[in-house]
């Protein structure tokens, strides 16, 4: 989506906020010097913090993992022992998430109702478990810019944005998407899920950002529900590629919207 998003970005901004950072594609593309970065997924934010504080040790731990089913399911099971997992150092927890992401089916982050990682083994011949150059580059950025990490509800992040932020602050919102069909709803990224009531609450927060004079862009699926919610804003219909679908024939281009409160 970067090729579509970048031309629609504000021409300039002095601070950046991304409350649903996920893989951080736009964050790493822009590398803003002042950034408020959040995700409700605590495991993910722990990865970013470890990359920031101890990337060399993280790389060393990653080098110890093996790409076979027995190793995968053994590492995946670490979080089934709640007491033992809580005692693990953050470096080992972060390395586990990267390892599982690189070796699980389709790189899918999915948890069950207990919050336990449950994506199956991917059976890839040569997954890039230790991408040291990318990790080092991310660490360099995190340590040369003012990047504030948090893991909480997006609404708390928006509410906590300093009142004296400059008017050219830019907020990019990439929430869990409104499902395009009755079987397309994917809420297993976190235990909480994201309902249509949540989508409405998010729109209300966007109204508040607009009232503050802050610029925002929001990505979502191009459902009638979402287009109706944001009818008062600038909506751009775009095509996006999707590689994850239970039916391989249905992988490919899907319609999405980019919503902006600026021209």
């Amino acid at each position: 989506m970067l090729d579509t998003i970048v031309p629609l970005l504000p021409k300039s901004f002095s601070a950046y906020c991304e409350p649903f950072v996920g893989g951080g594609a736009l964050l790493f593309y822009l590398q803003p010097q002042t950034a408020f970065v959040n995700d409700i997924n605590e495991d993910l934010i722990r990865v970013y913090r470890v990359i920031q504080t101890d990337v060399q040790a993280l790389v060393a731990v990653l080098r110890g993992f093996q790409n076979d089913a027995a190793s995968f399911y053994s590492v995946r099971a670490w979080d089934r022992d709640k007491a033992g997992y809580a005692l693990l150092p953050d470096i080992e927890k972060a390395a586990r998430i990267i390892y599982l992401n690189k070796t699980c089916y389709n790189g899918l982050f999915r948890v069950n109702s207990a919050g336990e990682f449950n994506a199956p083994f991917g059976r890839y011949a040569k997954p890039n478990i230790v991408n040291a150059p990318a990790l080092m580059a991310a660490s360099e950025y995190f340590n040369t810019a003012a990047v504030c990490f948090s893991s909480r509800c997006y609404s708390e992040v928006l509410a906590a944005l300093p009142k004296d932020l400059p008017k050219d602050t830019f907020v990019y919102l990439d929430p869990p998407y409104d499902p395009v069909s009755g079987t397309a709803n994917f809420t297993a990224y976190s235990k909480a899920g994201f309902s249509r009531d949540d989508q409405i609450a998010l729109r209300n927060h966007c109204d508040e950002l607009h009232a503050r004079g802050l610029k925002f862009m929001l990505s979502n699926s191009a459902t009638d529900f979402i287009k109706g919610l944001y009818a008062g804003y600038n909506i751009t219909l775009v095509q996006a590629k999707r590689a994850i679908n239970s039916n391989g024939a249905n992988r490919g281009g899907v319609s999405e919207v980019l919503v902006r409160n600026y021209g």
Side-chain angles (χ1 to χ4, degrees), residues 21 33 47 54 102 119 153 174 184 189 201 233 238 242 246 258:
V21 71
Q33 288 304 296
V47 169
D54 208 347
K102 295 294 187 180
C153 178
D174 186 25
Y189 176 71
Y233 292 106
V238 298
R242 288 290 174 262
S246 59
L258 292 174

Side-chain angles (χ1 to χ4, degrees), residues 162-204:
K163 299 302 181 184
D164 59 350
L165 276 176
K167 292 297 184 182
D168 64 346
T169 295
F170 174 57
V171 181
Y172 175 56
L173 301 147
D174 186 25
Y177 280 16
D178 186 47
V180 297
S181 69
T183 59
N185 195 7
F186 178 75
T187 60
Y189 176 71
S190 73
K191 291 185 291 183
F194 208 82
S195 68
R196 283 200 161 175
D197 285 342
D198 293 316
Q199 298 285 1
I200 294 170
L202 175 57
R203 195 282 317 278
N204 293 337

Side-chain angles (χ1 to χ4, degrees), residues 9-254:
L9 293 172
K11 289 183 170 53
S12 64
F13 49 89
S14 56
Y16 177 81
C17 175
E18 190 168 352
F20 304 91
V21 71
L26 187 58
L27 171 72
F28 288 115
Y29 175 85
L30 295 172
Q31 297 190 25
Q33 288 304 296
T34 300
F36 301 89
V37 178
N38 178 79
D39 200 279
I40 198 169
N41 186 327
E42 295 179 5
D43 287 312
L44 173 65
I45 294 301
R46 182 185 296 112
V47 169
Y48 288 144
R49 284 175 169 154
V50 168
I51 290 172
Q52 183 182 46
T53 60
D54 208 347
V55 68
Q56 298 282 2
L58 176 63
V59 169
V61 174
L62 283 171
R63 295 193 191 282
F65 288 116
Q66 302 298 316
N67 179 41
D68 60 78
S71 298
F72 175 88
Y73 287 110
S74 175
V75 173
R76 195 186 76 166
W78 288 3
D79 63 3
R80 274 60 173 174
D81 175 8
K82 304 301 183 188
Y85 187 70
L87 296 174
L88 286 177
D90 281 352
I91 289 176
E92 291 191 31
K93 291 179 180 177
R96 170 181 177 267
I97 291 300
I98 294 175
Y99 165 70
L100 293 177
N101 174 257
K102 295 294 187 180
T103 55
C104 76
Y105 178 73
N106 263 343
L108 177 66
F109 190 102
R110 188 184 68 190
V111 297
N112 59 24
S113 59
E116 301 164 344
F117 193 97
N118 70 347
F121 183 53
R123 303 188 181 280
Y124 302 116
K126 294 182 179 180
N128 192 8
I129 297 172
V130 191
N131 190 345
L135 292 171
M136 297 296 182
S139 182
E140 181 178 3
Y141 164 58
F142 291 158
N143 283 285
T144 55
V147 182
C148 177
F149 290 110
S150 61
S151 181
R152 49 185 173 170
C153 178
Y154 78 91
S155 60
E156 296 176 34
V157 176
L158 296 178
L161 287 175
K163 299 302 181 184
D164 59 350
L165 276 176
K167 292 297 184 182
D168 64 346
T169 295
F170 174 57
V171 181
Y172 175 56
L173 301 147
D174 186 25
Y177 280 16
D178 186 47
V180 297
S181 69
T183 59
N185 195 7
F186 178 75
T187 60
Y189 176 71
S190 73
K191 291 185 291 183
F194 208 82
S195 68
R196 283 200 161 175
D197 285 342
D198 293 316
Q199 298 285 1
I200 294 170
L202 175 57
R203 195 282 317 278
N204 293 337
H205 285 294
C206 287
D207 291 343
E208 293 170 3
L209 290 173
H210 183 65
R212 287 184 60 180
L214 303 180
K215 294 179 179 178
F216 75 81
M217 177 189 287
L218 175 138
S219 304
N220 214 313
S221 49
T223 61
D224 290 340
F225 173 73
I226 293 297
K227 288 186 286 186
L229 272 185
Y230 292 95
Y233 292 106
N234 187 352
I235 297 177
T236 303
L237 288 172
V238 298
Q239 288 294 115
K241 293 180 180 179
R242 288 290 174 262
I244 296 178
N245 192 297
S246 59
N247 182 348
N250 290 333
R251 298 173 189 168
V254 295

